[in-house]
Amino acid sequence: AADFLPINFYNPGTYSSTVNSIFVPNNKPATYMKDGFILAKEKIQQAQQEPEFAGYIWNLILMTDGMPVANSADFGFNSSQSPLSEVPIPNVRVFAIGLNLNALDDENIRVRGVSGGFADEARRVLRAVVDPNRPGDFLEVQRVDQLPAKYREILGTICGTP
């Protein structure tokens, strides 16, 4: 993802427009969860083969406000877009951030008149993406303005600083 937006530059407006402009390997103008995860995984694995990056410690942060779906009209879990088949990634620590996941249940009520289930399913997927021995690598925020603090928290975890 640093190909598109440097990790040391976080601005909510720029971040959103940059992420929304990324075309993932399926050439669709969307950031479906599995496609985005595969793109990041492939970039990391390519870099791991380069001698200049020998000995690096690798981390991947998956941030999402949703759950695996197959297309924008599909509102419901779709295993074809679940990143779970892509983990673990050898020598890569995966962090996951869920953004306003409760809104998934609100949307389901609004669109279909059915309550519950989607937020919990999204949390299940995100918890399963991280190392089961590091459950604290799954984080959740309710608002976009809370993301910078969570990214700093992850940075502290990676660098060993409070």
Side-chain angles (χ1 to χ4, degrees):
D3 285 353
F4 304 104
L5 187 68
I7 194 71
N8 62 347
F9 178 77
Y10 178 79
N11 173 293
T14 304
Y15 184 84
S16 294
S17 65
T18 301
V19 169
N20 290 333
S21 73
I22 296 172
F23 282 75
V24 291
N26 66 9
N27 286 327
K28 297 177 183 170
T31 53
Y32 298 127
M33 191 181 290
K34 183 177 181 180
D35 295 333
F37 197 88
I38 289 172
L39 178 64
K41 175 183 173 181
E42 287 173 352
K43 293 276 188 185
I44 290 171
Q45 289 176 325
Q46 288 169 2
Q48 286 175 324
Q49 302 306 311
E50 298 296 325
E52 66 191 280
F53 298 121
Y56 273 45
I57 297 172
W58 296 90
N59 299 277
L60 187 155
I61 302 171
L62 171 64
M63 192 281 295
T64 184
D65 63 354
M67 65 179 179
V69 296
N71 60 62
S72 58
D74 174 24
F75 193 77
F77 183 81
N78 185 301
S79 61
S80 73
Q81 274 300 316
S82 172
L84 298 183
S85 63
E86 301 300 319
V87 292
I89 305 170
N91 303 311
V92 177
R93 183 174 182 175
V94 177
F95 292 86
I97 302 174
L99 171 62
N100 194 20
L101 298 178
N102 291 331
L104 294 169
D105 286 338
D106 297 341
E107 181 70 4
N108 195 31
I109 292 167
R110 186 184 69 73
V111 172
R112 298 212 172 126
V114 178
S115 69
F118 285 165
D120 289 340
E121 184 61 20
R123 287 182 186 99
R124 182 193 70 76
V125 169
L126 293 175
R127 283 187 182 105
V129 166
V130 305
D131 181 336
N133 296 315
R134 293 180 163 153
D137 288 356
F138 165 66
L139 305 126
E140 193 169 351
V141 297
Q142 299 308 312
R143 298 183 323 272
V144 171
D145 65 348
Q146 295 172 318
L147 284 172
K150 286 300 172 189
Y151 285 123
R152 281 191 297 279
E153 183 178 330
I154 290 171
L155 182 62
T157 299
I158 292 169
C159 296
T161 58

